[in-house]
Amino acid sequence: MQFQWYPGHMTKAKRQMQEDMKLIDLVIELVDARIPLSSRNPDIDELGRNKARLILLNKSDLADEAAGRAWAEYFKAKGCFVVALDARSKTGMKQVTAVVMEACREKIERDRKRGIVNRPVRAMVVGIPNVGKSTFINSYAGKACAKTGNKPGVTKGKQWIRLNKNVELLDTSGILWPKFEDQSVGLKLALIGAIKDEILNIDELSLELIKVLTEFYPGVLNARYGTDGQPIDEAAKPAEILGQIAANRKCMARGDELDYSKAAALLIDEFRSGRLGRITLERPKE
Ligand code: G4P
């Protein structure tokens, strides 16, 4: 994270979000497609109850497509609409508007029955830091749309971005904090680079990554780090696998000792830069 969360921040952020929720019909929640659960704060389920919900599996370009489909099913079963997205290249962006309308169909219908027509759907973007909220807002809103400005008496101090005749977006996103007190959540956030490296134990992180890779992506470690004479034994314990990577990549400390930390850093770097392929670090449980 770019910043630390303290209880005071969290209370303030939550209160702000409670206020903003009163103004909107739809919550657009961004999660990181590589860790769709660990990159969200479940408090949003409570904060956004009674609202239409759209979950964007962002950074899908870095995640595994099959796992993405499983996650989409998982969130749909919870009553959310889901779109897999790459906010940077805008892949999937066209689908968003259609799904926004679909998600708000009930509300539009309700309005119509009350004689309210052409009232735009109001939406708000939420998510933990670094999931791509501002990238998404910029891509989605594009240059074409104008800010509608303050509407005194109705939404004092709030700026709305008019996306088209049907949708308005609150121009500041709601920032949620991750559930970092859960150790495995913290490790996964760290693996995708969402927590600063200086405060991390790089060896421990690499062991977590090795566990995930051998479980969900058998063969990947051997393909990248094995040699004809020295294949990676993926059935070995994670620390032993790290040793094999160190040996094959000649990560040596003083003398002829293996440098585990160097191998750990190498592995994490190659994962983050996509050289191990498109990888999703967690799967839905049920
Ligand atoms: P935030 O508002 O939620 O905090 O996130 P922000 O949009 O600032 O995005 C955080 C980083 O994630 C940015 O990279 C952004 O480019 C990148 N990003 C956003 N969406 C996607 C996506 O769908 N795929 C990929 N691969 N990356 C995405 P950065 O390194 O901070 O900046 P830069 O490299 O773009 O300069």
Side-chain angles (χ1 to χ4, degrees):
M1 298 300 130
Q2 305 305 313
F3 45 88
Q4 291 278 314
W5 285 97
Y6 297 103
H9 287 152
M10 301 188 209
T11 312
K12 196 167 165 228
K14 201 162 176 173
R15 204 178 301 130
Q16 180 63 52
M17 205 168 287
Q18 267 160 346
E19 286 305 307
D20 288 342
M21 285 292 164
K22 293 179 190 157
L23 308 173
I24 58 153
D25 309 298
L26 169 73
V27 180
I28 302 178
E29 180 188 357
L30 270 82
V31 300
D32 190 303
R34 293 166 295 175
I35 48 168
L37 264 201
S38 298
S39 61
R40 72 189 297 260
N41 182 326
D43 285 0
I44 192 65
D45 292 335
E46 178 59 26
L47 286 162
R49 100 182 167 272
N50 306 328
K51 302 289 170 188
R53 303 279 302 278
L54 169 58
I55 293 201
L56 300 178
L57 297 170
N58 194 37
K59 309 200 187 184
S60 282
D61 52 311
L62 304 173
D64 160 1
E65 272 179 274
R69 284 192 293 274
W71 278 111
E73 289 311 313
Y74 170 90
F75 287 118
K76 280 179 189 166
K78 293 189 179 304
C80 301
F81 288 79
V82 185
V83 176
L85 193 70
D86 168 0
R88 222 158 42 169
S89 80
K90 306 190 181 179
T91 307
M93 206 60 83
K94 272 207 189 108
Q95 218 192 324
V96 174
T97 304
V99 178
V100 163
M101 297 318 290
E102 175 70 23
C104 293
R105 202 161 46 191
E106 262 181 43
K107 181 228 163 257
I108 294 166
E109 189 56 23
R110 231 176 15 242
D111 277 359
R112 202 183 55 80
K113 282 189 183 144
R114 288 189 199 140
I116 308 167
V117 282
N118 296 333
R119 197 178 67 149
V121 165
R122 291 195 146 177
M124 172 187 185
V125 172
V126 307
I128 67 167
N130 216 38
V131 281
K133 295 181 296 301
S134 22
T135 309
F136 167 72
I137 292 178
N138 288 338
S139 311
Y140 190 38
K143 291 196 184 76
C145 64
K147 285 192 178 175
T148 57
N150 293 343
K151 292 180 180 166
V154 187
T155 56
K156 199 156 175 277
K158 293 286 169 194
Q159 290 274 344
W160 294 89
I161 305 172
R162 189 78 181 246
L163 294 176
N164 52 46
K165 70 179 179 18
N166 299 316
V167 186
E168 284 183 355
L169 195 65
L170 197 57
D171 88 327
T172 45
S173 46
I175 304 175
L176 291 160
W177 56 98
K179 287 269 164 205
F180 43 66
E181 61 274 16
D182 176 331
Q183 202 212 4
S184 113
V185 169
L187 284 172
K188 285 177 188 150
L189 286 164
L191 278 172
I192 64 160
I195 294 174
K196 280 195 181 143
D197 276 353
E198 300 96 84
I199 55 168
L200 300 166
N201 179 333
I202 205 93
D203 296 1
E204 195 187 345
L205 262 191
S206 72
L207 297 181
E208 176 74 13
L209 179 57
I210 290 172
K211 261 190 245 163
V212 173
L213 291 172
T214 51
E215 182 179 356
F216 298 131
Y217 301 93
V220 162
L221 283 172
N222 186 47
R224 180 95 194 148
Y225 303 107
T227 62
D228 286 343
Q230 284 170 300
I232 300 291
D233 173 13
E234 295 192 359
K237 290 202 176 90
E240 287 166 21
I241 295 179
L242 185 60
Q244 293 167 19
I245 295 173
N248 285 5
R249 284 301 175 95
K250 311 228 172 341
C251 301
M252 309 307 279
R254 252 178 304 120
D256 54 1
E257 270 177 44
L258 292 175
D259 188 336
Y260 282 77
S261 297
K262 204 165 169 183
L266 173 93
L267 177 65
I268 291 166
D269 182 56
E270 298 206 339
F271 159 70
R272 285 184 185 158
S273 63
R275 271 171 282 176
L276 299 179
R278 293 170 63 174
I279 297 209
T280 301
L281 295 174
E282 58 191 12
R283 298 290 182 279
K285 285 216 173 64
E286 60 263 40

